[in-house]
Amino acid sequence: MSGMPSSSPASPASPASPAQPLTVGFDLDMTLIDSRPGIKAAYEALSAATGTFIDAELAITRLGPPLEQELAHWFPDERIEEVGEAYRALYPEYAIAPTLAMPGAREAVAAVRAAGGRAVVVTAKHEPNAKLHVAHLGIEADAVVGWLWAEAKAEALREYGASVYVGDHTGDVRGARTAGALSVAVATGPCDAEELRAAGADVVLNDLTAFPQWLAGHLEG
């Protein structure tokens, strides 16, 4: 576990004060949830429905970016919109039940709320499906915002006044930096600790089990 200053021109927000209540944003896939089994099942169902080969094992190694980027590996451009809609329709049946909370996920969100703050999920995932995951796993987020990837995540982070954003992908780091929020990265997704630091993460944790202790120190500082 270590932190590293970012070279980004954006300045990380300071710890919450009475004038600025604590709001922490969290990414979803591979940050709060291990969606690999569910997404694999959904891709296999999509492959069967469309008659098109999809290497689901490969696809789940590169979670994070929007669905359309993955579908472009398997379908021509003119079919992406149609196939994306089909995938999202299949998703609730195949992907919700097999998906588990990441170690420390519930505790990380609970730590924010115990500190009097708000926990907001900001994800590239289809928002209705993201909400299904959070509800199914009993992750008590104050809001769930979908359809935002990388720098675009800054829209929601600014809207909710998030001073910290936690994610597992270099795209999450870019989103935090664009919003002027502290980037806390967890090395539980497709990007390792070195990649996350190189992208400008302010703090890199092995996983979310370390987050409550980090948060307590951050707020004391």
Side-chain angles (χ1 to χ4, degrees):
M1 296 180 290
S2 62
M4 180 175 181
S6 171
S7 59
S8 167
S11 298
S14 59
S17 66
Q20 181 184 343
L22 172 68
T23 300
V24 177
F26 290 90
D27 176 51
L28 188 62
D29 290 288
M30 303 313 299
T31 298
L32 288 175
I33 66 173
D34 185 352
S35 51
R36 290 173 296 184
I39 289 177
K40 180 175 182 289
Y43 275 130
E44 288 170 346
L46 181 67
S47 179
T50 60
T52 299
F53 173 73
I54 300 171
D55 187 338
E57 288 283 1
L58 175 59
I60 62 172
T61 67
R62 48 194 184 199
L63 300 182
L67 169 67
E68 287 75 13
Q69 290 190 25
E70 182 61 41
L71 293 180
H73 291 289
W74 314 108
F75 297 91
D77 290 347
E78 63 271 16
R79 293 199 63 196
I80 298 297
E81 182 176 356
E82 159 217 341
V83 174
E85 290 176 0
Y87 174 90
R88 293 182 182 104
L90 290 166
Y91 195 95
E93 179 180 357
Y94 290 93
I96 302 300
T99 293
L100 303 175
M102 293 293 283
R106 295 183 185 90
E107 293 82 357
V109 171
V112 174
R113 302 188 74 184
R118 298 183 300 174
V120 179
V121 175
V122 182
T123 174
K125 190 180 290 298
H126 181 50
E127 189 172 303
N129 289 339
K131 289 179 176 178
L132 288 176
H133 277 303
V134 170
H136 178 73
L137 293 172
I139 296 171
E140 297 183 358
D142 294 280
V144 178
V145 183
W147 293 99
L148 297 176
W149 162 241
E151 288 83 357
K153 292 188 173 190
E155 299 170 18
L157 297 175
R158 288 176 179 141
E159 178 184 352
Y160 284 91
S163 59
V164 176
Y165 185 58
V166 185
D168 66 282
H169 199 284
T170 55
D172 298 323
V173 177
R174 299 201 307 273
R177 305 308 302 169
T178 302
L182 196 76
S183 172
V184 177
V186 286
T188 50
C191 302
D192 63 24
E194 185 177 347
E195 288 178 87
L196 295 165
R197 291 190 187 99
D202 297 288
V203 177
V204 177
L205 306 175
N206 290 334
D207 56 38
L208 283 179
T209 63
F211 180 82
Q213 182 177 357
W214 173 84
L215 180 65
H218 173 66
L219 295 176
E220 287 175 3

